[in-house]
Amino acid sequence: MHELGITRSIVAIAAENAGGLRVKRVIVAIGELSGIDADAVRFCFDICAKGTVVESAKLEIERVPGRGRCAACELEATLTTPYGACAACNAPLRVIGGEELKVKAMEVDDVRDMRV
Amino acid sequence: MCVTCGCSSDDVRISGGAHAGEHEHVLPDGTVVRHAHHEHAHAHAHDHAHEHSHDHAHSGDHDHDHDHSHGHGHGHGEEPADRGRGIVELEAEILAKNDLTAAQNRGWLGVRGIVCVNLMSAPGAGKTTLLTRLIREAGVPVSVIEGDQETENDARRIREAGAPAIQINTGKGCHLEANMIATGLRELAPKPGSLVVVENVGNLVCPALFDLGETARVVILSVTEGEDKPLKYPHMFRVADLVLLSKVDLLPHLAFDKAACLANVRKVAPRAQILELSATTGAGMTALVAWLASLRTRLEADRTA
């Protein structure tokens, strides 16, 4: 599946932004409605990071819950599927959260910590 | 993987064009990068060759936006948490590279008034058969980008039906990505005002996640597949601009509950158009051709606005 490719992209984004420093932690947001399996990403991470400055970094995955808002009455609800109907008026829900797929932040070795 | 542009065409073979395998990208800072990824049968060393940036695609400029709230998430108003020293805030979309190429494709097509349709379905729903018929009845020149894991059979069928076709073989890949379409468009060199159909890899899961730069997405569901398919594969059906219920000539022989199926489509994709057709008998083709013509009208309006 393509979670391997997603994970490679995560590693690449972190490596490209590390400025040559060793990466200690990568924080990623994966929405519950993104269609991406967070567990599969975790599974691939160490393999993908091997041989890069991201090797040995800790991967933190923030799972973002699905959220919908009614197109008609603005009522919001939690979503476990990427669609739904409003409990109050039965109008379709717009997905407003849970599709995130981004590298939020990363932690690099502080230059001050590096032994000379 | 190409770290520069995020593509990995190691396993991807593109045939039918003059300089297949070469592509260029414009990076966010404006640098133009050219790569040649030469397609070769022996490049099967990688467990999964596809390096990609993913996104839920926005299928072009449509009034009915697909509620894709992500993809625009560059810290809109959020205060970054104070995570301490050594922390680099990135807010980097993982699919940014694919999306950038998709945006470039969309621009390239838009200025030429070329409608591009991303045709998706489970394997065997009838994409290629429909296309061989559409080529004759569309009323405009049609060219096709074919995606399959292996063989050139579909591209050959399209050419035999009278339209130019480029075959993309993804090897182990399960979907097409924007960089493959960019190369395909360059090879096909479709004329302004024509129709390009991308016949995606038969798969109701992965192609939904990758914006190709298309004008619209069409998902084919055949009556032999079961009424609850839309609920089983919501990520695919919700991004459809048009759902085509195919093989309707078989309905008399099936215990298919069409009303239930249509209700399920509407549950998952309330704003999608739905058309029923049979590529065998031709039923519904007129409506499909009219729908494609409306895409052209809208594209022209956007272009000249």
Side-chain angles (χ1 to χ4, degrees):
Chain A
M1 286 297 294
H2 48 269
E3 271 80 357
L4 181 56
I6 294 261
T7 312
R8 280 181 176 165
S9 289
I10 293 169
V11 170
I13 289 167
E16 283 165 23
N17 286 278
L21 298 173
R22 179 145 294 278
V23 179
K24 297 205 299 206
R25 208 160 45 111
V26 180
I27 301 153
V28 164
I30 297 182
E32 298 283 290
L33 305 180
S34 65
I36 295 300
D37 182 346
D39 291 328
V41 169
R42 178 172 296 292
F43 184 78
C44 299
F45 185 74
D46 290 335
I47 301 161
C48 292
K50 211 168 159 54
T52 71
V53 294
V54 187
E55 186 171 355
S56 309
K58 187 168 174 297
L59 175 67
E60 283 179 19
I61 300 179
E62 291 179 6
R63 292 180 193 237
V64 187
R67 195 125 191 92
R69 183 185 291 136
C70 178
C73 71
E74 304 276 311
L75 186 68
E76 290 192 13
T78 309
L79 281 178
T80 52
T81 52
Y83 65 92
C86 177
C89 67
N90 218 41
L93 293 175
R94 291 183 106 81
V95 178
I96 57 167
E99 297 177 291
E100 296 76 3
L101 205 52
K102 55 166 77 169
V103 180
K104 297 202 68 167
M106 64 178 187
E107 186 179 355
V108 293
D109 273 349
D110 197 310
V111 180
R112 289 170 291 180
D113 289 342
M114 285 164 73
R115 288 162 206 261
V116 179
Chain B
M1 176 195 75
C2 173
V3 177
T4 309
C5 66
C7 79
S8 168
S9 319
D10 303 8
D11 247 6
V12 172
R13 284 147 281 146
I14 298 173
S15 47
H19 23 38
E22 193 182 65
H23 59 274
E24 72 176 27
H25 302 267
V26 180
L27 300 181
D29 67 0
T31 315
V32 177
V33 179
R34 260 214 127 79
H35 301 272
H37 291 270
H38 298 290
E39 66 282 15
H40 296 301
H42 54 262
H44 284 290
H46 312 275
D47 33 350
H48 187 113
H50 291 285
E51 193 32 70
H52 22 239
S53 325
H54 304 269
D55 192 359
H56 288 277
H58 321 92
S59 61
D61 356 327
H62 285 276
D63 302 336
H64 54 281
D65 60 296
H66 299 281
D67 313 296
H68 298 288
S69 53
H70 65 272
H72 310 291
H74 285 282
H76 35 243
E78 300 162 6
E79 275 298 309
D82 179 10
R83 305 186 206 251
R85 71 179 192 190
I87 301 290
V88 181
E89 295 286 340
L90 287 175
E91 296 291 323
E93 291 297 333
I94 295 171
L95 293 173
K97 286 169 180 152
N98 184 79
D99 284 1
L100 178 62
T101 308
Q104 290 163 349
N105 292 342
R106 191 163 279 123
W108 191 94
L109 291 161
V111 299
R112 288 163 180 74
I114 298 172
V115 169
C116 176
V117 166
N118 183 0
L119 190 60
M120 297 175 280
S121 76
K127 296 185 292 297
T128 312
T129 306
L130 170 63
L131 282 182
T132 55
R133 184 149 196 151
L134 184 64
I135 286 163
R136 293 193 300 276
E137 301 181 21
V140 290
V142 179
S143 50
V144 178
I145 298 176
E146 276 291 339
D148 290 292
Q149 284 192 309
E150 297 290 348
T151 83
E152 294 198 36
N153 297 344
D154 281 352
R156 199 186 54 242
R157 289 181 180 104
I158 298 296
R159 288 176 204 132
E160 281 164 9
I166 288 281
Q167 178 77 54
I168 299 177
N169 286 134
T170 63
K172 298 178 188 71
C174 47
H175 59 271
L176 295 177
E177 296 185 11
N179 59 331
M180 301 169 193
I181 302 313
T183 307
L185 288 174
R186 214 176 9 260
E187 295 302 329
L188 274 180
K191 298 277 182 297
S194 67
L195 172 67
V196 172
V197 180
V198 176
E199 190 186 323
N200 217 311
V201 178
N203 177 353
L204 279 181
V205 180
C206 319
L209 306 186
F210 299 90
D211 186 0
L212 303 179
E214 67 273 316
T215 314
R217 295 166 147 194
V218 177
V219 178
I220 299 184
L221 171 61
S222 72
V223 297
T224 51
E225 287 178 67
E227 303 85 356
D228 54 356
K229 266 307 220 300
L231 304 179
K232 288 179 171 175
Y233 299 93
H235 295 281
M236 174 60 75
F237 282 89
R238 71 179 289 233
V239 300
D241 293 292
L242 171 68
V243 175
L244 280 178
L245 191 63
S246 67
K247 308 188 186 179
V248 293
D249 55 297
L250 296 178
L251 282 172
H253 309 285
L254 303 166
F256 181 78
D257 186 345
K258 192 171 76 166
C261 179
L262 297 178
N264 288 336
V265 171
R266 288 191 194 97
K267 225 184 266 189
V268 177
R271 287 176 296 256
Q273 282 269 111
I274 305 175
L275 292 176
E276 302 172 32
L277 67 74
S278 164
T280 310
T281 65
M285 289 299 297
T286 311
L288 175 61
V289 171
W291 184 81
L292 291 167
S294 75
L295 291 185
R296 204 157 42 248
T297 308
R298 195 162 349 143
L299 199 69
E300 266 307 299
D302 290 345
R303 193 165 74 95
T304 54

